[in-house]
Amino acid sequence: MSRRTDPVVRRATLEDAPVIARFNQAMARETEGKELDAEVLAAGVRAVFDDPNRGFYLVAESDECVAGCLMITYEWSDWRNGMFWWIQSVYVHPDFRREGIYRTLYAEARAMGRKAGAIGFRLYVETENSRAQQTYAALGMERCAYAMFEELL
């Protein structure tokens, strides 16, 4: 078996929207057993490209294909007078897992966040997804004391 190319991270473009939507669909199915409405999801992904205030996507390419992605969104903290960057929509294609794709994506996001003056990173993860939790901890993230609540409208 030939060695894979080292992942290269870049900011996603609108041309990446279809693969990002497919990755989000797969992630929802794998982690939560949810089937997302494809039209709503595609429009939601495109909306990030339409308005940079919503955030941005990073993609990691390896072997000339998109191997993984994540989205960054923003949360203002009045307590800290600064912006948290939220990591969302994390997905690594199964063919590329355990090969450092997420590590490379996170390293690039951290470098970008530092340069932009972000005060920290946050993410949420399914309570049953222990593999992802171990990955995040290994990269220096700590479990925080907050529980998440939501009401869908």
Side-chain angles (χ1 to χ4, degrees):
M1 182 174 176
S2 64
R3 185 185 183 301
R4 289 197 193 275
T5 59
D6 289 336
V8 175
V9 175
R10 63 174 174 79
R11 199 167 177 137
T13 66
L14 186 57
E15 289 75 33
D16 296 304
V19 73
I20 292 169
R22 283 194 308 273
F23 281 7
N24 283 338
Q25 185 79 279
M27 184 259 303
R29 190 177 302 120
E30 288 177 26
T31 62
E32 300 182 38
K34 290 184 180 177
E35 287 298 324
L36 303 179
D37 181 288
E39 285 185 37
V40 171
L41 176 58
V45 170
R46 284 191 311 271
V48 174
F49 294 102
D50 292 343
D51 182 356
N53 292 316
R54 290 186 172 123
F56 63 91
Y57 291 98
L58 294 178
V59 294
E61 293 180 316
S62 181
D63 290 351
E64 299 181 19
C65 66
V66 175
C69 68
L70 61 76
M71 179 175 65
I72 298 291
T73 60
Y74 314 107
E75 174 194 4
W76 179 255
S77 173
D78 55 350
W79 286 12
R80 295 176 178 91
N81 189 32
M83 195 74 74
F84 276 99
W85 281 22
W86 275 85
I87 298 171
Q88 299 187 58
S89 299
V90 173
Y91 189 77
V92 175
H93 189 280
D95 291 348
F96 293 90
R97 291 184 183 161
R98 313 308 294 170
E99 295 185 18
I101 299 293
Y102 178 74
R103 182 182 331 107
T104 305
L105 282 162
Y106 185 56
E108 180 65 19
R110 285 178 73 202
M112 292 173 74
R114 281 193 174 109
K115 185 175 181 182
I119 60 170
F121 286 89
R122 289 183 168 161
L123 60 77
Y124 53 87
V125 60
E126 270 297 303
T127 55
E128 304 298 318
N129 193 343
S130 59
R131 177 175 274 180
Q133 292 174 39
Q134 291 169 355
T135 297
Y136 303 143
L139 292 172
M141 298 188 92
E142 298 176 0
R143 181 182 302 271
C144 60
Y146 301 108
M148 188 173 135
F149 289 74
E150 75 176 3
E151 177 184 11
L152 298 178
L153 302 176

